[in-house]
């Protein structure tokens, strides 16, 4: 059984069909990329997959259970989601608080939690910025913080909506290393991206969304 | 039949009366009559009632709660429902609750009446009514950005739950703490937006108080005059 299974899902909004009867399967340990033109529905598809939006037809199963049967927080504990704009998922004034945020509201901070947060800061090169207020962080730093925060939850799967936008070449290579590392630790990844080279270099499979539907690229 | 278009000033006039009276009245009968009249005007101005109803039905449950709380804590009037000696629903509680429902209904209706005119027309109307331009501008910006704020709060709430936080089952104190955090991204993005908006406006040469000449002028028509004359008369009838 695949980790994610979409069966003939369609999505309509305000009388407009964004996509129709799309089916696909994703394995839990795969690194898959989703590509396609602007406005074709990639972000929408990923939102259907975590249940923020509901398909108008068909069904998506996560780990064998329809997504619609999970509460949002349950999906969140399995799947980490990096928004196209990371600002909307940063809530706390400092990096440390932000990393510990979900622990605080899920049973409380522990010394191990703090150690893990420090480890995350080191891994994502956030130590230099640790005293800057989060809203002043640069785009790249915000993104790394958002990613680090998601990983604090130890998800089994990651969805990344255009993680390379706004990153320079060095940071992009760095992100590539982080992602590879995360993938090797057993976390599956679905990455939405417009960056051809990055996609080719990173992914095991590439899915292309266009007007006709969803295709596998080789 | 040709659709009759009303001047935005007429709508402002009606809304002014409706909302002033809604605040002044406190007995539910007057408020009820006022709501009926409001609905009448809503029909005349072609308010999209289905949208209004959907919004209203969402908060109706809150009012139900209010009615019960009123009944429990104000020991007045005859009890309609009593459980173990506690008055769950009393006549006075019901009347007050209905009063609230009508009052909020009228306020929502007033908003809906105003939004049947375009923002451009309403601003023009305010200007011709000699309301200072700054106020008109603030109102216009506020109205325009409100849906965006609502959307942003919803997005932040989703992002928070995706962090694995079960907001619905937290204890009250923790829940309030967590919800307070929702406003941090909102406030920051608002400040950011305000800054950018101000820069954009100024870079386009806009100055408050600068002399502007305009081509468009709103003209009161016969239906507007009639409507404005009728309004005070009808409103007088609602008083007890
Ligand atoms: N709430 C909405 N109301 C109306 N249309 C919407 C809404 N949300 C998305 N759309 C439309 O759905 C289409 C797909 O949007 P989506 O954000 O999924 O595209 P995308 O593939 O992620 O594009 P990009 O590469 O630019 O991020 C767009 O044409 C968009 O206009
Ligand atoms: Mg997108």
């Amino acid at each position: 059984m695949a980790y994610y299974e979409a069966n003939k899902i369609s999505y309509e909004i305000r009388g407009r069909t964004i996509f129709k009867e799309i089916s696909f399967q994703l394995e839990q340990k795969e690194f898959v990329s989703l590509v396609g033109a602007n406005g074709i529905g990639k972000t929408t598809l990923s939102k259907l997959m975590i249940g923020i939006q509901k398909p108008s037809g068909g069904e998506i199963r996560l780990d064998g259970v329809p997504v619609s049967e999970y509460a949002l927080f349950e999906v969140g504990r399995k799947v980490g989601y990096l928004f196209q704009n990371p600002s909307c998922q940063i809530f706390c004034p400092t990096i440390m608080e932000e990393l510990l945020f979900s622990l605080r509201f899920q049973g409380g901070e522990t010394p191990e939690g703090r150690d893990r947060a420090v480890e995350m800061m080191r891994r994502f090169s956030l130590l230099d910025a640790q005293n800057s207020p989060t809203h002043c962080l640069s785009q790249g730093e915000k993104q790394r913080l958002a990613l680090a925060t998601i990983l604090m939850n130890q998800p089994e799967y990651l969805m990344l909506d255009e993680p390379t936008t706004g990153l320079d070449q060095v940071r992009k290579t760095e992100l590539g290393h982080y992602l590879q590392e995360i993938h090797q630790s057993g976390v599956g990844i679905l990455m939405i991206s417009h960056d051809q080279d990055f996609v080719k270099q990173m992914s095991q499979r590439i899915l292309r969304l266009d007007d006709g539907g969803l295709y596998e690229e080789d | 039949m040709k659709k009759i278009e009303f001047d935005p000033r007429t709508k402002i006039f009606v809304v002014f009366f409706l909302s002033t009276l809604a605040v002044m009245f406190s007995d539910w009968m007057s408020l009820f009559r006022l709501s009926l009249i409001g609905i009448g005007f809503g029909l005349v101005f072609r308010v999209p009632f289905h949208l209004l109803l959907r919004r209203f039905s969402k908060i109706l449950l809150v009012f139900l709660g209010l009615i019960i709380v009123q009944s429990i804590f104000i020991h007045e009037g005859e009890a309609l429902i009593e459980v173990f000696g506690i008055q769950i629903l009393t006549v006075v509680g019901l009347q007050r609750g209905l009063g609230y429902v009508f009052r909020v209904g009228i306020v929502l209706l007033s908003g809906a009446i105003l939004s049947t005119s375009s923002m451009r027309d309403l601003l023009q109307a305010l200007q011709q009514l000699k309301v200072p331009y700054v106020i008109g501008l603030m109102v216009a910006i506020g109205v325009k950005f409100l849906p965006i704020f609502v959307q942003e709060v919803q997005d932040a709430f989703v992002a928070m739950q995706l962090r694995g936080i079960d907001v619905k089952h937290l204890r009250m104190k923790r829940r309030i703490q967590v919800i307070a955090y929702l406003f941090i991204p909102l406030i920051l993005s608002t400040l950011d937006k305000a800054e950018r908006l101000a820069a954009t406006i100024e870079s386009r040469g806009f100055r408050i108080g600068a002399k502007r000449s305009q081509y468009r002028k709103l003209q009161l028509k016969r239906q507007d005059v009639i409507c404005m004359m009728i309004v005070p008369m009808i409103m007088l009838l609602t008083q007890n």
Side-chain angles (χ1 to χ4, degrees):
Chain A
M1 181 189 65
Y3 189 66
Y4 257 117
E5 267 182 29
N7 200 357
K8 294 197 174 160
I9 49 164
S10 308
Y11 189 71
E12 278 172 34
I13 187 156
R14 292 166 212 210
R16 189 173 140 213
T17 306
I18 308 294
F19 42 73
K20 208 172 163 183
E21 304 207 339
I22 285 181
S23 303
F24 59 87
Q25 297 197 340
L26 304 173
E27 297 300 331
Q28 200 255 307
K29 299 214 185 305
E30 265 184 319
F31 195 129
V32 180
S33 289
L34 177 61
V35 299
N38 281 135
I40 202 77
K42 303 181 297 299
T43 301
T44 308
L45 182 59
S46 68
K47 287 185 174 170
L48 295 182
M49 289 171 69
I50 46 172
I52 302 181
Q53 281 159 20
K54 310 266 172 281
S56 24
E59 186 184 68
I60 304 179
R61 281 169 174 271
L62 166 59
D63 220 357
V65 181
V67 171
S68 53
E69 287 177 20
Y70 288 98
L72 221 42
F73 78 93
E74 290 171 321
V75 177
R77 286 178 192 180
K78 294 172 85 66
V79 181
Y81 188 90
L82 183 71
F83 282 83
Q84 198 160 2
N85 169 14
S87 301
C88 71
Q89 59 188 138
I90 293 176
F91 299 102
C92 302
T94 70
I95 292 183
M96 192 62 180
E97 276 180 76
E98 180 66 22
L99 288 169
L100 292 172
F101 183 76
S102 60
L103 280 184
R104 266 184 65 197
F105 289 96
Q106 281 185 52
E109 289 170 32
T110 54
E112 297 83 64
R114 287 191 86 82
D115 289 346
R116 222 165 69 225
V118 174
E119 167 61 21
M120 283 296 171
M121 278 201 237
R122 196 191 55 72
R123 191 164 157 204
F124 288 92
S125 327
L126 289 166
L127 283 168
D128 291 337
Q130 67 176 314
N131 293 320
S132 313
T134 48
H135 70 273
C136 298
L137 296 178
S138 77
Q139 182 69 18
E141 284 166 341
K142 275 186 191 166
Q143 198 171 39
R144 273 177 282 146
L145 175 58
L147 195 55
T149 316
I150 292 168
L151 292 175
M152 281 295 288
N153 263 351
Q154 300 176 307
E156 14 175 270
Y157 201 85
L158 265 189
M159 263 187 241
L160 312 166
D161 197 350
E162 299 193 22
T164 55
T165 20
L167 296 190
D168 63 37
Q169 205 54 47
V170 177
R171 289 302 184 191
K172 205 157 80 183
T173 318
E174 219 175 75
L175 177 75
H177 291 316
Y178 296 143
L179 293 183
Q180 217 92 62
E181 218 179 290
I182 297 166
H183 182 223
Q184 262 146 32
S185 72
V187 177
I189 296 180
L190 177 69
M191 177 174 79
I192 296 172
S193 181
H194 289 293
D195 193 323
Q196 292 281 351
D197 297 333
F198 194 67
V199 164
K200 284 225 176 70
Q201 181 194 331
M202 301 294 298
S203 27
Q204 299 168 318
R205 274 204 301 153
I206 302 176
L207 299 175
R208 175 172 292 281
L209 189 60
D210 69 17
D211 291 332
L214 191 73
Y215 303 98
E216 183 129 355
E217 255 187 20
D218 35 33
Chain B
M1 197 180 87
K2 196 175 156 287
K3 285 179 181 171
I4 303 174
E5 285 298 337
F6 284 90
D7 190 287
R9 280 172 291 178
T10 313
K11 295 176 186 170
I12 292 175
F13 189 73
V14 171
V15 163
F16 176 75
F17 265 91
L18 273 178
S19 43
T20 313
L21 290 181
V23 174
M24 270 167 46
F25 288 160
S26 54
D27 66 304
W28 72 281
M29 239 351 247
S30 307
L31 282 168
F32 175 63
R33 268 177 262 160
L34 195 61
S35 322
L36 287 186
I37 291 169
I39 291 173
F41 278 108
L43 289 174
V44 172
F45 296 139
R46 291 197 305 276
V47 166
F49 274 102
H50 56 285
L51 293 180
L52 190 65
L53 269 179
R54 201 184 305 158
R55 205 176 305 167
F56 195 60
S57 63
K58 272 186 201 151
I59 49 176
L60 216 52
L61 219 63
V62 177
F63 286 111
L64 199 67
L66 260 179
I67 292 176
I68 293 178
V69 170
Q70 291 267 345
S71 299
I72 294 177
F73 290 103
I74 302 170
H75 301 284
E76 278 174 55
E78 198 183 320
L80 295 174
I81 305 175
E82 217 179 87
V83 181
F84 302 126
I86 299 172
Q87 300 177 339
I88 299 291
L89 191 63
T90 62
V91 177
V92 175
L94 187 64
Q95 287 173 353
R96 290 203 191 174
L98 283 177
Y100 289 133
V101 173
F102 293 136
R103 200 175 271 169
V104 172
I106 292 168
V107 171
L108 287 181
L109 188 65
S110 301
I113 288 180
L114 285 183
S115 59
T116 51
S117 283
S118 72
M119 210 57 221
R120 181 74 197 79
D121 281 352
L122 283 174
L123 267 182
Q124 178 76 28
L126 286 178
Q127 206 171 3
Q128 282 181 229
L129 287 171
K130 301 274 182 288
V131 172
Y133 193 77
V134 199
I135 294 179
L137 184 70
M138 282 194 301
V139 171
I141 292 175
V143 169
K144 199 157 218 138
F145 278 92
L146 198 66
I148 300 181
F149 288 143
V150 172
Q151 186 63 48
E152 275 181 3
V153 173
Q154 284 172 350
D155 287 351
F157 191 55
V158 164
M160 187 169 278
Q161 284 171 289
L162 280 178
R163 285 282 189 84
I165 299 170
D166 183 6
V167 181
K168 295 200 178 87
H169 294 117
L170 282 177
R171 274 179 292 124
M172 207 48 182
K173 192 174 149 235
R174 303 291 270 170
R175 201 188 309 183
I176 292 169
Q177 282 177 344
V178 106
I179 285 175
Y181 274 104
L182 281 184
F183 290 92
I184 293 178
L186 181 72
I187 292 167
L188 291 175
S189 84
T190 306
L191 288 177
D192 192 45
K193 266 199 208 79
E195 212 168 286
R196 264 185 292 158
L197 190 65
T200 317
I201 289 178
E202 287 202 18
S203 70
R204 292 189 188 174
F206 182 92
R207 294 284 177 282
I208 282 173
K211 195 117 183 77
R212 254 181 295 276
S213 44
Q214 36 201 298
Y215 172 68
R216 231 173 95 87
K217 203 156 178 82
L218 296 170
Q219 210 87 53
L220 286 182
K221 300 206 191 67
R222 200 179 46 186
Q223 67 262 25
D224 295 304
V225 178
I226 297 174
C227 189
M228 286 205 218
M229 279 182 347
I230 297 176
V231 172
M233 286 193 274
I234 299 185
M235 300 290 177
L236 274 181
L237 289 181
T238 57
Q239 244 169 334
N240 261 345

